[in-house]
Amino acid sequence: MLTALSIRDVVLIEALDLDFGTGLGVLTGETGAGKSILLDSLGLALGARADSGLVRQGASQAVVTASFELTDPTAVATLLGESGLDHDPSEPLTIRRLVKADGGSRAYVNDQPASAGLLRELGGLLVEIHGQHDDRGLLNPRGHRALLDSFGRLDVNAVATAYRKLREADEALAIARSEQETAARDREWLEHAVGELQALAPESGEEAVLAERRATMQRGERIAGELQQIADLLDGSDGALTRLRQAARILERVAEDHPALGEALAALDLALVEGGATQDNIDTAAEALAFDPAALEADEARLFELRGLARKHRVQPDDLADLAETFAARLARIEGGEGTIAQLEAQVSAAESAYVAAAETLSAARSAAAARLDAAVAGELAPLKLDAAKFRTTVESLPRDQWSASGRDRVEFEVSTNPGAPFAPLIKIASGGELSRFILALKVALAEEGGARTLIFDEIDRGVGGAVASAIGERLARLASGTQLLVVTHSPQVAARGAHHLLIAKSHDGLVTRTGVRQLDDAERREEIARMLSGAQITDEARAQAERLLEAA
């Protein structure tokens, strides 16, 4: 609900602060007093195009601040959250818009910077404005299906679930067919690749094993001669160890002849032990580094094949085994693809049947709700001097490519304004007065079932008077029951129905013209309604008639 509107330096308004309540609020004033400025200011806060021409002459910027109390903050909180803005649901929502005289504008939601686009989305959730040239709201066929569902209190969850499953089945089938077509084109290449990979039979980790074994054998090949030469020097027929053993045997015979000879023998024995250990280590190394030239050649050839095939398929050698399985699976899908596609087609058919069944149930409910809505609107037309007009809600099936989670129906409100005239979309009504009254009739019918948001009607009573104006006032009051409705009106019958009455008037100080708005008390209301009845010269008869209108309301 709109609770307050603050306007600074907009056209003829220098400074204006308004408070609003629930029920029917009426705004009256002489032609040209500035009622449109008030609506333009609110529209600016709700994301309308920022025109520097709105800035009051001599001011640097115009500022409009609108405050709202949210009875159901869920949708607003979701929208603000998706936009990265904070909002405490227990606090009022404040929207502020600044327009500079030299161009450009800024917008804020709860003092957080926001875009004009976000303001427009918020405006769609907070306020519904109906004017003579409105092309949104009830006039937009894109919203008619949701309005009918709300009127009929229809649950679309079953259709939405069936649609999701149908979409999933459709996508799975499309992917399978695409893969089948691609794979069929690549069949010859796949067969060659699978045969090549299966013939090589690569294993994960095989490259590292081959590379290490190859490097070891290459090292053994390089030092094999040196190791043999060392072995010959140590333990050959004329090697060092052989000579040391011969020397040791000689020392054993003479070691007792002198202490130094005994020490020499001990040192020689130690040298023989170390030399033996050296020989053992060299033998161990030689055995470890031993290689078979044929084995080295085989490992090198295998390693080159692995790396070459990996480069060919642009993968790592360790990934060749997985690649072989992938290619084999693709080839298998080609060979068994027709069966898979047949299964997926059956799943699509089953999902489509389930969707159609749910959609048909929803369509039947919509048709029944449409009949009730048509009857409700028809009951509102005659009192609004539209007794020759007819209203109908069309529910038509859409082609498969236009099915959605909301069903397979196109819903549109249509009217025929004269006997024998064909039905046409609501927006095609030529007369602005007729259009406004049709909107009122439809809004009243819809509100009786589903409630309404903050509504604003701009001169809905233009061109009518008497009993029709009284009927409009009565329906506006009924529509405003329990909610908030603001009406810009020239009709005394409508003004008399208001729970709140705001007077818009111009004032002059000799230099500057200003527009002001003030709340009227009971006596002032009677005087304003009398003016609306009689014109500039207010008569006692007009005051009496105004009193009767107020009493009747």
Side-chain angles (χ1 to χ4, degrees), residues 58 78 114 140 165 209 230 277 292 307 378 404 438 448-449 483 510 536 553:
T78 300
N140 190 341
K165 292 180 179 179
V209 172
I230 294 171
D292 179 355
R307 290 176 174 172
S404 71
F438 259 110
E448 287 183 344
E449 291 290 338
T483 187

Side-chain angles (χ1 to χ4, degrees), residues 45-46 64-66 68 93-97 108-109 119 122 126:
L46 299 178
V64 179
T65 304
F68 295 88
L93 179 73
T94 302
I95 301 174
R96 183 160 51 99
R97 187 86 179 275
Y108 301 88
V109 176
L119 263 56
L122 282 173
L126 298 170

Side-chain angles (χ1 to χ4, degrees), residues 384-428:
L384 295 176
K385 204 176 180 181
L386 293 170
D387 44 315
K390 294 181 180 179
F391 172 89
R392 75 178 183 188
T393 305
T394 61
V395 181
E396 298 178 347
S397 294
L398 292 167
R400 192 187 192 282
D401 61 353
Q402 295 183 37
W403 292 358
S404 71
S406 298
R408 58 175 191 170
D409 302 315
R410 184 185 68 84
V411 176
E412 186 169 2
F413 302 146
E414 296 180 337
V415 297
S416 170
T417 55
N418 296 298
F423 280 90
L426 190 60
I427 198 171
K428 297 297 184 181

Side-chain angles (χ1 to χ4, degrees), residues 300-489:
E300 285 184 332
R302 176 76 176 175
L303 189 60
F304 292 153
E305 280 188 279
L306 284 172
R307 290 176 174 172
L309 204 54
R311 284 194 300 272
K312 177 179 179 179
H313 293 292
R314 298 181 181 179
V315 297
Q316 295 298 317
D318 282 350
D319 295 331
L320 286 173
D322 291 338
L323 185 65
E325 293 181 2
T326 300
F327 284 172
R330 284 178 59 185
L331 193 58
R333 281 199 297 272
I334 294 175
E335 296 167 353
E338 292 301 325
T340 301
I341 288 177
Q343 290 178 351
L344 291 173
E345 286 175 340
Q347 292 174 10
V348 168
S349 179
E352 184 172 326
S353 296
Y355 175 83
V356 168
E360 285 179 347
T361 300
L362 180 59
S363 295
R366 280 175 174 154
S367 295
R372 296 196 304 274
L373 178 60
D374 293 351
V377 174
E380 300 292 332
L381 296 180
L384 295 176
K385 204 176 180 181
L386 293 170
D387 44 315
K390 294 181 180 179
F391 172 89
R392 75 178 183 188
T393 305
T394 61
V395 181
E396 298 178 347
S397 294
L398 292 167
R400 192 187 192 282
D401 61 353
Q402 295 183 37
W403 292 358
S404 71
S406 298
R408 58 175 191 170
D409 302 315
R410 184 185 68 84
V411 176
E412 186 169 2
F413 302 146
E414 296 180 337
V415 297
S416 170
T417 55
N418 296 298
F423 280 90
L426 190 60
I427 198 171
K428 297 297 184 181
I429 297 176
S431 165
E434 285 185 337
L435 177 58
S436 296
R437 281 177 278 151
F438 259 110
I439 290 174
L440 177 60
L442 181 56
K443 198 65 191 177
V444 169
L446 290 170
E448 287 183 344
E449 291 290 338
R453 300 173 296 178
T454 295
L455 303 175
I456 298 176
F457 282 92
D458 183 13
E459 299 187 2
I460 191 173
D461 48 18
R462 176 178 291 182
V464 299
V468 177
S470 295
I472 291 175
E474 186 275 327
R475 278 151 182 79
L476 288 171
R478 190 199 319 168
L479 185 59
S481 176
T483 187
Q484 182 184 53
L485 195 154
L486 303 175
V487 181
V488 176
T489 180

Side-chain angles (χ1 to χ4, degrees), residues 201-274:
E203 297 178 2
S204 180
E206 182 181 7
E207 184 208 19
V209 172
L210 286 172
E212 177 60 28
R213 196 161 67 196
R214 171 174 171 261
T216 299
M217 286 192 291
Q218 285 176 332
R219 289 195 299 272
E221 182 182 29
R222 188 178 66 251
I223 65 172
E226 284 83 352
L227 293 179
Q228 184 59 50
Q229 186 178 357
I230 294 171
D232 291 343
L233 290 171
L234 287 175
D235 202 25
S237 59
D238 198 28
L241 290 178
T242 300
R243 289 178 178 274
L244 286 175
R245 291 189 190 99
Q246 290 174 351
R249 284 195 293 272
I250 296 172
L251 274 176
E252 284 178 350
R253 292 198 296 270
V254 299
E256 296 177 354
D257 294 336
H258 194 279
L261 293 175
E263 293 177 2
L265 179 59
L268 190 57
D269 287 340
L270 182 58
L272 285 169
V273 171
E274 294 293 337

